Amino acid sequence: MDDAGGGLASAAVHHNARSPEDVFRDYRARRAGIVKALTTDVEKFYQQCDPEKENLCLYGLPNETWEVTLPAEEVPPELPEPALGINFARDGMIEKDWLSLVAVHSDAWLLSVAFYFGARFGFDKEARRRLFTMVNGLPTVYEIVTGVAKKQPKPSNGGSKSSKSNSKPSRQSNSNSKPAKLSHPKDEEDNGQEDAQDEEQAYLCGSCGETYANGEFWICCDICEKWFHGKCVRITPAKAEHIKHYKCPACSSKRSRE
């Protein structure tokens, strides 16, 4: 488990990177790995969290992958450690509740790693604020896993094949170049500048959690109604033409275990 906890240490941050932007890139990559474990790779993740094994941890790695393994042997460890023993509760809880619990602990770990580097590199108040602002601009892993940040209505045509194959997801009855906007009731009370900023953060992939960019191919799951980058779920526009009812990997995995 040489790379699980200290992946950043083996890369640029230890020697070259010292800015909040560098630490944020590491945070975003680790977060992407964890999001994959709890969404598109959920079946594989579930199987690896065997309650019969020892205390296991979920690590997000700087190359946007994830790993379930034992905690670091050295004390104190290279980096803050994730929640220990996530596998023990797997069969004692409803799966979605267990995944949500792992997501919450993962959010706490990601933040602790980011601010560990902030302290290590001597970030001042302004640098810490900049780092937190960037981190806070992304939805939490918990919000992605539970769908809290993605209450998206289906396209007006009922999610037909044509809407799935369209490279530009539609927003209810109006054709739009972005997926359905998220619900932010509080934003309605904010000023125009904040609304414009939220507009850019509101279009999120159910797999990687990243925002929508013009021209990207997206597809909507008919079960959970979340939008996904085609590349994240390995669906091309041509392939989507032949899909009548699309089920994302997470929904497909749930169905296979029922």
Side-chain angles (χ1 to χ4, degrees), residues 30-80:
R30 291 179 187 274
R31 171 182 166 279
I34 289 176
V35 167
K36 287 177 184 176
L38 300 179
T39 56
T40 56
D41 295 346
V42 67
E43 179 69 20
K44 182 180 177 183
F45 170 69
Y46 186 91
Q47 292 174 352
Q48 289 190 21
C49 291
D50 186 348
E52 297 300 319
K53 296 181 180 179
E54 297 180 60
N55 291 286
L56 296 176
C57 300
L58 171 61
Y59 292 89
L61 307 182
N63 61 355
E64 299 189 9
T65 61
W66 58 274
E67 181 179 10
V68 170
T69 188
L70 298 171
E73 294 181 2
E74 68 268 20
V75 178
E78 172 79 16
L79 294 179

Side-chain angles (χ1 to χ4, degrees), residues 4 64 106 121 123 162 182 187 198 202 224 232 236 238:
E64 299 189 9
S106 296
F121 300 148
F123 287 178
S162 60
L182 309 184
D187 291 348
D198 289 336
C224 65
C232 287
T236 63

